[in-house]
Amino acid sequence: MTAFTASAPGKIILAGEHAVVYGQPALAVPLPAVQARAVVRALLSDQEGPLRVIAPGIDLDSPLRELPPDHHLRAVVNAVLEELGIRQPPSLEIRISSTIPISSGLGSGAAVSVAASRALSAFLGKPLPDQKISEIAFEVEKIHHGTPSGIDNTVIAYQQPVFYAQGHKLETFTCPEAFTLVIGDTGHPSPTGRVVADVRQGWKDQPARYQAVFREIGDLVRTARSALEEGNLPQLGALLDENHRLLQQLEVSSPELDHLTQAAREAGAWGAKLSGGGRGGQMIALSPAGAAEEIAHQLESAGAAGTLTTCIRCT
Ligand code: PMV
């Protein structure tokens, strides 16, 4: 029997996280080295309910209707069925697998939503376009993230580098040469929704101070885009350092993230910063050619739970 399969990459925010929730631009690229995958196939019997969701990575094997209403896979399936106007779907099974670590700033939730909605809509004979897929993933992000900016679903659904600002037409960017990132994992998952809520509280308590930092990050992101487009990687590195400093001012860094970013700089990185929600999760280091192995080694010596070296092409 035909199975429909779809995959979606992880993502890395190069610059602009948190400020992007307040209307500033941010830069993000897909991370194809890690992927979420969804396989949808027909079930021969609907004894266990017409829709079954299986995700061995999170020990899930359940009829859809038995999942809590705010479960993110239930929300994805229902959003696709609603979008397609299907009230009584055929009996089917959706199987999710993913190599993207959860709650660590690599976009695992959005990638699962994108892969699942692509595979499901294709199985139902009406493959949805990228824009709809992105909108569905955005709605689902809201359940757990509260006020997402929309950058994760956008970069993952369109699978291209994005210069993203809420409410603006999607812009991509190109860079003349590929560059190398070493991604270091603190080993501590950090739910983005909680950090975003803390920043919101800080902004409410001290609006002028937070607003000034958001603006500074927005300006930095515009300069970083130009540096990327000109292939000026040392300048980009200095901007990543500066972005990390501004994220510290928003209190979204952590001792581990500060320690790992410093270790990366000392190992020869052009620059380093936390990436994503912060407080845990991942950091990134921009590596000169030939330095990635040493940076990864130093990150591991400094306590990183793991590293991933990846070559980013924005052509
Ligand atoms: O932690 P992640 O990878 O989901 O990234 C969150 C980025 C934020 O700017 C902090 C939140 C958002 O919705 O843009």
Side-chain angles (χ1 to χ4, degrees), residues 11 13 17-18 20-21 105-107 145 148-149 151-152 192 196 276-277:
K11 69 99 219 311
I13 296 182
E17 52 274 269
H18 286 292
V20 69
V21 176
L106 297 181
H145 285 199
S149 65
I151 192 167
D152 279 21
T192 299
V196 168

Side-chain angles (χ1 to χ4, degrees), residues 96-180:
I96 305 287
S97 56
S98 175
T99 56
I100 311 175
I102 294 171
S103 289
S104 56
L106 297 181
S108 102
V112 166
S113 298
V114 166
S117 38
R118 274 218 180 99
L120 180 59
S121 62
F123 175 90
L124 295 168
K126 299 178 184 174
L128 289 167
D130 289 347
Q131 188 186 339
K132 267 291 159 232
I133 296 282
S134 180
E135 282 168 20
I136 288 173
F138 181 60
E139 289 307 314
V140 174
E141 291 276 289
K142 281 187 193 165
I143 298 173
H144 295 293
H145 285 199
T147 56
S149 65
I151 192 167
D152 279 21
N153 49 285
T154 303
V155 65
I156 290 169
Y158 289 90
Q159 296 191 52
Q160 51 179 300
V162 296
F163 174 85
Y164 174 86
Q166 270 181 327
H168 288 258
K169 205 168 146 285
L170 180 62
E171 288 181 48
T172 185
F173 62 89
T174 53
C175 36
E177 46 180 319
F179 59 93
T180 301

Side-chain angles (χ1 to χ4, degrees), residues 281-292:
Q282 313 286 328
M283 50 73 65
I284 55 173
L286 181 63
S287 172

